[in-house]
Amino acid sequence: MAPPSWQGHATAVVSVSLLILVVAPSSTAGIGVNYGTKGDNLPPPATVASFLANRTRIDRVKLFDTNPDMVRAFAGTGIALMVTAGNGDIPKLATKDGAAAWVSANVAPYYPSTDISLVLVGNEIMDTGDKELISNLVPAMRALKAALVAAGYPKIRVSTPHSLGILAGVSEPPSASRFRDGWDRAVFAPMLAFHRQSRSPFMVNPYPYFGYNGATLPYALARPDNHLGVTDPGTGITYTSMFEAQLDSVFSAMKRLGFDDVEIAVGETGWPTKAMDGQIGVSNADAAEYNRYLIGEAGGGSGTPLMPKRTFETYIFALFNENLKPGPVAERNFGLFYANLTPVYDVGLMKDGVKTGAAPVPAPAATLASAPESKTAKKDDAEETATPEETAASAEAPAPSSVDDEASSEATGPSPSSEAPSSEKGDSTDEDKTPEEEGGDGPPPATAAASGPADESSETAPKDGDAAEGGKTPAPAGAASSHGSNLRVPVSSVLTIALSSLALGI
């Protein structure tokens, strides 16, 4: 999943309503969800597909691989499916024959019975630092799209998800955001040109959960009545939702390259119901509040401050609590549903009025005390990131520099928190574990009898052929702080808290 980044929900100037429901190319609204299977108690794919189609309002599903049983299970359900080509497949996909072979093996047997709406080429490739993968990413996207068209599947789109680590200047407000030096012209300009030509979305994985501390929880949860405002000095816009400013930061970076007309999709975003002991802002009530914001406010169609009236194809992370996922406790507790298909909390996803009881009321702001749990450190992507010369023969700009970003972060003003933020980095995979307690919330009594297939996705450590589920980067550990009445602070101050780990090259 994604690193923390630039935050916001317009308040005084822009309507709080944010459109996050999934919108298909035909502009039909729906709800998307990430379906991972890293659990030993999950129902079989056919049961899951039937449940989603018949009992929920979820009509889009994102998979982290092309597991045949899972892809086949969604045939005839009316649910649009997003599948993922593994990171290790990218070099072959960059060739005409390799792309054609992949389509023949992973699309042709199922489409159109299974409505494959989009194919993702790897996952958060820029974070891997792998020179071969980075240099072949855009060519693979082009070749795969050409192969889909040649096979008679022109409606299937192609994209690739990115963490917000693709953005430079960690202390910059949304309006000043840009892609990291060296990647902007060498990678993202041609990639965005591809998206424009093929009418496919540029996909990012924003996570306000990994960008808050005790003082900024209302901001991360986009509470419309919270009094913590974050002002962008470049536009004068005051944000009250971290999520909106994260999207506006991506938009600004795209606009700098002349691609502000390309659509943005949200591949992952969510909120856990359990974390390490004592962490504030993590409960059924908080997760329900965040996901209601994503779902319930979507119908207004107001977009974001810099993208008014836009819609965003969005996939909530995640469908299930997955009890075998390594790493921090939160990793196993992002699910909307328990393994027995019981909702973890009610956000209005069930059809026919079938729902759980009302979610508990979130704790008052005065009790806020700590920030999200930290995940294990990932390797320094900036040190291992390919230079532009190695990723694009025509580029001459220097590779992204973690040193520059770190200096930028240290130069910013004081944060609203009374303690300096932690600089511990998160990871882009789930390979390593922190010394936290294992386990997570269990489902209510009556668990599913059958387990699903092993998840060969990026939810585990990336290996050849697998697409790694994005590494969620934690926010720094802010000190206890209650937000004051009508508090307004510069964007750079709050960004220093949320993005200090990104400054180290995440």
Side-chain angles (χ1 to χ4, degrees):
M1 296 171 222
S5 203
W6 306 255
Q7 300 53 303
H9 186 21
T11 176
V13 182
V14 183
S15 168
V16 169
S17 299
L18 190 227
L19 157 75
I20 300 301
L21 286 182
V22 174
V23 176
S26 61
S27 297
T28 300
I31 303 169
V33 68
N34 285 265
Y35 177 11
T37 57
K38 204 65 178 171
D40 61 5
N41 59 350
L42 302 181
T47 300
V48 173
S50 177
F51 168 74
L52 294 178
N54 298 314
R55 298 193 58 199
T56 79
R57 293 171 48 221
I58 295 169
D59 66 0
R60 288 184 172 267
V61 169
K62 174 171 168 274
L63 303 181
F64 292 98
D65 54 20
T66 55
N67 183 302
D69 292 335
M70 297 175 71
V71 177
R72 192 178 296 113
F74 286 92
T77 61
I79 292 176
L81 197 65
M82 184 185 300
V83 298
T84 302
N87 291 2
D89 293 335
I90 290 176
K92 290 183 179 179
L93 285 175
T95 68
K96 180 179 179 180
D97 289 345
W102 193 94
V103 170
S104 179
N106 297 285
V107 176
Y110 317 109
Y111 186 85
S113 295
T114 296
D115 181 13
I116 300 174
S117 65
L118 191 150
V119 176
L120 295 174
V121 178
N123 190 62
E124 298 186 345
I125 297 302
M126 304 306 294
D127 291 350
T128 68
D130 188 304
K131 300 171 185 178
E132 183 180 22
L133 296 183
I134 293 172
S135 64
N136 280 293
L137 180 57
V138 175
M141 295 168 70
R142 291 173 177 154
L144 183 56
K145 179 61 179 178
L148 289 166
V149 172
Y153 314 135
K155 293 183 179 180
I156 299 179
R157 302 165 295 162
V158 173
S159 189
T160 186
H162 307 280
S163 79
L164 296 190
I166 60 176
L167 300 177
V170 299
S171 64
E172 293 176 353
S175 63
S177 181
R178 68 189 191 280
F179 292 115
R180 295 176 69 175
D181 294 339
W183 286 350
D184 50 0
R185 297 293 175 183
V187 179
F188 291 112
M191 181 182 293
L192 289 166
F194 164 79
H195 285 307
R196 173 185 283 166
Q197 186 275 331
S198 63
R199 297 185 178 182
S200 56
F202 183 75
M203 186 170 289
V204 293
N205 298 337
Y207 277 91
Y209 170 71
F210 294 100
Y212 83 95
N213 68 2
T216 59
L217 178 62
Y219 179 46
L221 292 175
R223 291 174 179 166
D225 59 346
N226 86 76
H227 301 292
L228 176 64
V230 181
T231 302
D232 183 334
T235 60
I237 293 171
T238 297
Y239 288 90
T240 59
S241 160
M242 195 176 288
F243 183 85
E244 273 198 358
Q246 289 176 339
L247 292 182
D248 277 354
S249 294
V250 174
F251 171 78
S252 293
M254 294 166 62
K255 186 175 181 179
R256 285 178 181 276
L257 295 180
F259 293 97
D260 53 318
D261 58 316
V262 172
E263 293 299 318
I264 295 174
V266 177
E268 297 178 26
T269 189
W271 201 277
T273 54
K274 186 175 182 180
M276 64 183 182
D277 291 342
Q279 181 178 326
I280 58 91
V282 181
S283 67
N284 285 17
D286 295 302
E289 183 176 9
Y290 180 73
N291 284 322
R292 281 197 200 101
Y293 162 70
L294 295 177
I295 298 169
E297 299 296 333
S302 61
T304 71
L306 299 185
M307 296 179 284
K309 299 183 179 180
R310 273 209 192 185
T311 61
F312 304 98
E313 182 174 348
T314 299
Y315 295 78
I316 297 173
F317 190 88
L319 181 57
F320 291 118
N321 282 340
E322 300 170 60
N323 67 352
L324 294 184
K325 292 192 71 174
V329 174
E331 285 296 304
R332 294 176 287 285
N333 291 279
F334 271 86
L336 294 169
F337 296 92
Y338 292 112
N340 65 356
L341 304 179
T342 301
V344 177
Y345 45 80
D346 174 32
V347 287
L349 289 177
M350 304 300 290
K351 292 179 179 178
D352 303 322
V354 179
K355 58 184 181 181
T356 62
V361 178
T367 65
L368 306 183
S370 60
E373 61 186 314
S374 297
K375 286 192 66 179
T376 52
K378 76 185 214 180
K379 62 183 180 182
D380 192 332
D381 294 326
E383 292 180 357
E384 300 189 23
T385 297
T387 61
E389 291 83 354
E390 294 164 319
T391 58
S394 62
E396 297 181 357
S401 170
S402 61
V403 175
D404 292 341
D405 285 348
E406 183 174 4
S408 176
S409 177
E410 292 175 348
T412 60
S415 70
S417 176
S418 61
E419 293 184 6
S422 165
S423 62
E424 182 175 2
K425 298 178 290 181
D427 63 352
S428 61
T429 72
D430 293 320
E431 181 178 18
D432 302 318
K433 297 183 180 181
T434 61
E436 297 181 34
E437 60 177 329
E438 290 299 323
D441 285 333
T447 57
S451 63
D455 191 345
E456 295 298 325
S457 75
S458 52
E459 295 178 287
T460 58
K463 50 187 179 292
D464 188 44
D466 290 343
E469 178 184 316
K472 299 190 286 287
T473 302
S481 175
S482 299
H483 64 270
S485 176
N486 297 317
L487 176 62
R488 293 291 184 268
V489 297
V491 169
S492 60
S493 296
V494 174
L495 295 184
T496 303
I497 298 175
L499 304 174
S500 60
S501 60
L502 185 59
L504 294 181
I506 295 174

